[in-house]
Amino acid sequence: MPARPAVPAAPRRRRKDADRRFGVRLFGSAALAAVAAVVFGLLLVLVESGWLPLRRLDAGAARWLNRTALDHPAWTGTLRFFSDVVWDPVTLRAAVAVLVLWLLYRRAWRLAAWSAVTAVAGGLIGLLAKAVVERARPSLPDPVAHAPGYSFPSGHAMAATTSFAVLLLVLLPMVRRGLRPLCWAVAVVSVLGVGFTRVALGVHWFSDVVGGWTLGLAVVALTSWSFEAWRADAGLGRTEMAEGLEPELDGDDDPEASDPTH
């Protein structure tokens, strides 16, 4: 294997400075998202305690879907399979962990760091918000499923949002352009499907799911901004969302080999 050419001192210093700023932005964004989670949770408690339409919406959806679940046990079993197996946070985070290991094998260090921080920050922020809000789960006369812990935000909805975003934004460059809309559709349907199963099984209020989606999107948006800021600092072009975070990953086994600043 031919030796790599020596990297000029100026581009090397620029890359190191960009990496340092990338790390600061990445973890700063995660901290900002954590603060946003707490503020959002407290705001929701205030809205829930005083805004009757939201309570009616949550209670009405829970009762109607609970009756449907009781009347259709086979359908309920399918929902439970998707919720507890296919879209379970453990399953989705395991998929992200495998992706991170693969990125490390490909020496895509910063993309691996972005994926890991996005997934871990999402999980920790969700736990923090639950501990602050302490919202009780739905209490139904004839429940079809049970779940431990507090209710807001939905951990399943948040894990699905962050996990599918990571998988999508990392792997899109390796998917043919004609198939990319299908990938987006699968991700969106899965995220929406996770939320539906949690409400339909009676283990979350509708607003819990919306909160999980919102906080998950906030985490992804903030960490993605950090990644894009690093690309700008390193002299790389900004990417379109439809192309993923690092289009260069589609090329050489070492994605940095095509980097003009490397």
Side-chain angles (χ1 to χ4, degrees):
M1 184 174 180
R4 293 192 175 198
V7 181
R12 186 166 58 244
R13 284 196 302 271
R14 184 181 183 184
R15 172 58 64 84
K16 287 181 179 179
D17 290 342
D19 283 349
R20 190 159 47 247
R21 289 192 292 269
F22 167 65
V24 172
R25 287 191 182 103
L26 193 62
F27 288 100
S29 296
L32 181 61
V35 173
V38 175
V39 173
F40 184 82
L42 293 173
L43 178 62
L44 181 63
V45 170
L46 294 175
V47 172
E48 178 192 343
S49 64
W51 198 38
L52 186 59
L54 179 59
R55 294 207 302 271
R56 287 177 174 171
L57 175 63
D58 279 339
R63 285 195 298 267
W64 180 74
L65 288 171
N66 179 247
R67 287 196 299 267
T68 304
L70 291 171
D71 292 340
H72 302 86
W75 181 70
T76 303
T78 301
L79 293 181
R80 189 179 290 112
F81 171 75
F82 276 98
S83 180
D84 297 342
V85 179
V86 179
W87 292 328
D88 185 76
V90 174
T91 303
L92 298 179
R93 286 168 184 152
V96 172
V98 171
L99 177 68
V100 170
L101 292 176
W102 178 76
L103 290 171
L104 293 174
Y105 171 76
R106 291 284 298 269
R107 292 185 287 178
W109 313 117
R110 283 164 292 276
L111 200 55
W114 174 82
S115 302
V117 170
T118 300
V120 172
L124 293 178
I125 289 167
L127 292 175
L128 176 62
K130 284 177 182 288
V132 170
V133 178
E134 296 186 345
R135 189 184 193 188
R137 292 182 183 271
S139 178
L140 301 168
D142 298 300
V144 297
H146 298 277
Y150 295 119
S151 190
F152 176 86
S154 166
H156 277 66
M158 194 165 182
T161 302
T162 55
S163 298
F164 278 104
V166 167
L167 294 170
L168 193 65
L169 293 177
V170 170
L171 297 177
L172 269 182
M174 286 164 286
V175 178
R176 292 204 308 269
R177 289 187 179 274
L179 294 178
R180 289 179 186 178
L182 177 61
C183 295
W184 278 99
V186 169
V188 171
V189 169
S190 296
V191 171
L192 294 177
V194 169
F196 176 77
T197 62
R198 303 308 284 170
V199 179
L201 292 172
V203 292
H204 276 296
W205 303 106
F206 173 74
S207 53
D208 297 336
V209 169
V210 174
W213 289 335
T214 303
L215 294 179
L217 286 173
V219 172
V220 173
L222 288 168
T223 57
S224 298
W225 172 83
S226 297
F227 195 90
E228 286 295 314
W230 168 79
R231 288 182 63 87
D233 284 347
L236 301 173
R238 292 190 175 275
T239 60
E240 297 292 334
M241 187 65 70
E243 297 178 355
L245 281 182
E246 192 168 276
E248 297 85 1
L249 193 65
D250 187 31
D252 194 277
D253 280 343
D254 178 6
E256 294 185 353
S258 61
D259 188 334
T261 67
H262 190 79

